[in-house]
Amino acid sequence: FDALYDADASHPSPLGTYLAACVILGTITGRDPESLADAPSLALDPTDAAAMRAVAHDVLADPAWTPAP
């Protein structure tokens, strides 16, 4: 959990920003975040990025997920 925040504990880390982007992209487009490929310049470890895409997938697949209108 702490890895999702910068050292100031207020702003997202690159990992937290990536997770948020995956959830937002999936919400807006309906695409499965796990189908996304990493950009060659992505500053995240590929394993961490894949884990965040999996988390975003799980969130979006949860029937309790209801985006704001």
Side-chain angles (χ1 to χ4, degrees):
F1 180 81
D2 291 340
L4 299 177
Y5 291 91
D6 250 348
D8 67 6
S10 179
H11 295 93
S13 67
L15 192 62
T17 300
Y18 186 71
L19 174 58
C22 288
V23 172
I24 291 167
L25 180 129
T27 300
I28 291 172
T29 66
R31 289 182 59 193
D32 181 355
E34 288 189 307
S35 71
L36 303 174
D38 288 333
S41 63
L42 189 61
L44 299 175
D45 178 89
T47 302
D48 290 341
M52 293 301 99
R53 289 192 303 273
V55 169
H57 166 85
D58 292 347
V59 167
L60 295 169
D62 186 337
W65 173 253
T66 52

